[in-house]
Amino acid sequence: MDMESGRCSMQKDMVKSDPLKEYEQIFKALADEKRLKILHLLADSPLESQCVCDLTEDMEMAQSKLSYHLKILLRAGLINQTKKGTWHYYSLNDENISAVLSDGIFQNPRIKRSSAGK
């Protein structure tokens, strides 16, 4: 966790040496209806970030199950986490989401055309 900003950067856990693995992790995170609903709730929220307690209520899901889905989204770099007191607050990682939605996979300069078929 970055102590200055209070944000947890799980994206550092992603395999940086293989961009295709990064995309695989992102698309796996997006391939679940519950995680898409979490992203929708965060995007639709009038607040800058949402408390896990509010998300638990909105998702009608046990906190342990919600935490599992949040962890996957966090590792994929799609959301940010901030701790305030005993609660965790979540927000969209707009920069990463925009990059995934606007950039083509093969426009990434770290991915060579020849590695796409491997």
Side-chain angles (χ1 to χ4, degrees):
M1 175 180 282
D2 181 1
M3 298 311 269
E4 288 180 32
S5 69
R7 294 204 169 178
C8 180
S9 179
M10 297 294 283
Q11 189 178 9
K12 291 177 183 176
D13 291 344
M14 293 173 62
V15 181
K16 293 294 182 186
S17 61
D18 188 352
L20 290 176
K21 290 288 185 192
E22 291 177 36
Y23 281 108
E24 179 182 22
Q25 189 171 14
I26 290 167
F27 288 119
K28 280 183 179 180
L30 293 171
D32 182 89
E33 186 177 350
K34 290 178 177 79
R35 291 190 285 272
L36 289 173
K37 185 175 180 183
I38 292 167
L39 292 173
H40 175 74
L41 288 170
L42 292 174
D44 206 32
S45 174
L47 305 172
E48 184 179 318
S49 61
Q50 277 203 279
C51 176
V52 70
C53 57
D54 294 330
L55 289 171
T56 301
E57 187 177 313
D58 291 340
M59 292 293 295
E60 298 177 354
M61 179 185 295
Q63 187 171 344
S64 60
K65 287 186 179 184
L66 178 62
S67 292
Y68 167 78
H69 290 291
L70 290 168
K71 182 179 177 181
I72 291 171
L73 291 169
L74 202 55
R75 282 193 175 157
L78 298 171
I79 62 174
N80 300 312
Q81 178 188 62
T82 306
K83 186 172 182 178
K84 297 177 186 172
T86 59
W87 293 105
H88 288 113
Y89 289 79
Y90 294 90
S91 60
L92 292 179
N93 185 333
D94 293 325
E95 185 179 319
N96 283 357
I97 289 176
S98 293
V100 169
L101 296 177
S102 65
D103 294 345
I105 292 174
F106 298 110
Q107 292 174 353
N108 185 324
R110 296 182 352 196
I111 299 176
K112 296 179 183 173
R113 272 286 207 209
S114 61
S115 67
K118 292 182 180 179

